[in-house]
Amino acid sequence: MSQSNLGSGIAVAAFVAVTYDWSLTFAQEVELIWRQHWSLMTVLYLSTRYLGIVYAAMAILCVIIYIVQIWVGVLVSALLWVIIIARLHAMYQQSRKILIFLVVTFLAINTFDGVDAVLMATHAAGEELILFGTYQCTIGYTGDALVVLYPASWILSIVWEVLTLCLAVWISVKHFRELRLHAAGGIIGDCFTVLMKTHVVYFASFVAVSCLELITEFSPTLSTSQYLLEDLTLYGLIQISVVVQMFVLGPRLILGIREYNAKLVADSDAATGMTSIVFQERVHISTSIFNAEKEFEQKDAAITSIYFDNEDLELDLGRLEKTEGAEAIRLQWYGDTDVKTIFVERKTHREDWTGEKFVKARFPIKENLVNAFLRGEYTMDVELQALVEKGKKTQAEVDSMIQLASEVQYRILTKQLHPVMRTFYNRTAFQLPGDPRVRISLDTELTMVREDNWDGQTRTGDNWRRSDIGIDHPFDQVLAADKELFKYGVLEVKLQTQFGQEPPKWVTDLVQSHLVEAVPKFSKFIHGCAILLPNRVDLVPFWLPQMDTDILKPKVYFANERTFLKWLSFAVLIGTIATTLLNFVPADDPRGLISAALFTLAALLAIAYSAIIFVYRALRLRARSAEGLYYDKYVPTIFALCCWLRWGPTLV
């Protein structure tokens, strides 16, 4: 194969690599980029993606455009670094120190790169030659400054990439240690995993490109024989690697996170989807106990409650029947089990005709005094009265709390109430800044756990709660029969609007969306008793049949359709290549005709395969079957390899 054919083939291969990746991810791009709320990440993604296509196309053209290509490379490199800065800023909990440090180093290195690009553009000299019947371009540089500037720019880029990787690894290790220490994980842990995977892949590609450039820079044979076939092959490999690193893996830094965010809607009870609707109004997020001066930890979102009842489940029945004055008594705490303050809370149901709403009141108690209080050996009078002396409560408030403590203690002793059910969940609260009219709470990872000793199995013993579990969801040490892992999130919307005033549009969109299923008066305690203590309950809650409602099924159908459209876009691209070959290849060129025929066959096979797999998956979804070919590991890879091999006849 001639040098001219090799150079042209390499340029075309780089262009095909970028456009092929663009065709594969175009459906995702439309869904996750174009149709979403525009932000800085949207602009960065589109700039990197489409400048990459322009850059790869310019490699096919000639000299003058080479100067533009240099600046496109510098610009896209800067955009990729902005993406990295945004990711690290998010991973470091919006730390101003890390942001300032990254921005300063970013500006310093990119200023140097800009100067280097100016010198390269001004000292570039090109010559157009006709070799072997084809046009070829040779690019050279005049002056000795570039001999020093280019390696220096290359070294600074390596230092930056290594620095950002170290920062990402360090904060990830720190967070994973904290999550393991507090036996928590969930969305935060998974998000850091996705961030690190995409970052490591991008960094590995950068290392590969840097190693190849290192070989070309310091090899004495390459610098003197750069037009040999073997040397051109190495330069071509570098060109393809640079294009893939910057314009394929670069945009995927954003697309991977957007895709993970979309999967959370389908895999995590639509929590992220509901969050995105709420964020349209720039709401304020907090955990249950929000402290602006304290760095957020996963355990801060945890809320655990212990509900009390007797063996007849009298309180559960009263709440279920909505008897006037029905009570629910629980002990609640925030965070891990090492907290010192427990809240004793009583909810009292009021009928609508009384004109009163349900009443919720509570008082704090130290954890080491809970057992004595439940046995009637300790009263709260002295401890609560001390709140007045410390100036934390008024005398009227303390008198009300003392009366509540006395009534709760009397009810526990007379009705022989014992710990029955534990509920655990992570809560995120949403509220418009300075606007108390709307407050939304989202409870995820909801779990109900038995706390009683009624079946002869010791769970709490003589203690007021189990000691074998904490906030280590999903509580693997607990028997499956003793826990209920609730498969949905619980969303509660509280409105304080005036009579006749409409709620904000985003609230209406959220409540009416397919992401939620309305369940009025849902009770975690009642649901846990109905599931875990079926032989003791006399009535089951009305919402129990709704637990089988698949509120996310339309999303699955849409995903199947999007996959089908991706295959069609791939087939159209391959068919376009085949048509182009047929139009421009001479009639007496068998290699071009063979390649066109192979590309046409590939396009037809892709259409047939996509249609068959779409119908198959649609039928499986209608049958509500979770088993089947929903994830295809091999066929896309086989098609990609075949497309690369089909270039063989044109390059031989």
Side-chain angles (χ1 to χ4, degrees), residues 281-313:
E281 289 290 331
R282 298 182 181 179
V283 300
H284 168 72
I285 291 186
S286 71
T287 54
S288 302
I289 300 179
F290 182 75
N291 184 355
E293 299 179 356
K294 180 182 180 297
E295 183 178 355
F296 172 76
E297 299 181 54
Q298 179 64 29
K299 66 178 182 179
D300 295 336
I303 301 180
T304 310
S305 302
I306 306 294
Y307 288 86
F308 282 69
D309 209 334
N310 51 33
E311 294 194 35
D312 296 328
L313 294 182

Side-chain angles (χ1 to χ4, degrees), residues 403-427:
Q403 181 180 357
L404 173 65
S406 177
E407 293 176 356
V408 169
Q409 188 178 53
Y410 177 79
R411 193 81 71 240
I412 290 175
L413 295 174
T414 56
K415 291 185 176 293
Q416 298 182 352
L417 304 181
H418 301 281
V420 174
M421 192 66 56
R422 173 186 299 225
T423 62
F424 165 84
Y425 49 89
N426 287 311
R427 169 165 290 183

Side-chain angles (χ1 to χ4, degrees), residues 55-131:
Y55 181 95
M58 287 179 178
I60 305 176
L61 304 176
C62 204
V63 179
I64 297 179
I65 301 179
Y66 179 75
I67 297 175
V68 180
Q69 191 180 33
I70 292 176
W71 283 105
V72 170
V74 172
L75 177 60
V76 172
S77 296
L79 292 176
L80 291 175
W81 286 10
V82 172
I83 295 173
I84 296 295
I85 290 175
R87 290 159 61 96
L88 287 174
H89 187 220
M91 296 173 73
Y92 277 83
Q93 302 291 321
Q94 286 76 43
S95 170
R96 290 190 61 187
K97 292 181 180 179
I98 196 68
L99 178 62
I100 293 173
F101 171 74
L102 291 173
V103 170
V104 170
T105 55
F106 164 80
L107 292 176
I109 296 176
N110 276 271
T111 300
F112 186 88
D113 290 343
V115 174
D116 187 21
V118 170
L119 292 176
M120 290 181 67
T122 55
H123 290 79
E127 183 179 2
E128 189 175 84
L129 305 174
I130 300 178
L131 300 175

Side-chain angles (χ1 to χ4, degrees), residues 347-413:
K347 287 185 176 181
T348 305
H349 174 72
R350 298 298 182 189
E351 289 289 353
D352 295 336
W353 58 268
T354 63
E356 300 181 36
K357 299 181 179 179
F358 79 92
V359 178
K360 181 169 68 174
R362 66 178 185 174
F363 62 89
I365 183 174
K366 295 180 180 179
E367 193 278 331
N368 60 339
L369 299 175
V370 172
N371 284 325
F373 173 78
L374 296 177
R375 292 193 296 264
E377 301 170 358
Y378 179 81
T379 60
M380 296 296 300
D381 298 26
V382 176
E383 184 175 349
L384 294 177
Q385 190 62 42
L387 297 177
V388 178
E389 301 173 0
K390 296 177 181 179
K392 296 182 177 180
K393 298 289 182 180
T394 64
Q395 186 61 52
E397 292 174 330
V398 168
D399 290 342
S400 177
M401 293 169 65
I402 292 176
Q403 181 180 357
L404 173 65
S406 177
E407 293 176 356
V408 169
Q409 188 178 53
Y410 177 79
R411 193 81 71 240
I412 290 175
L413 295 174

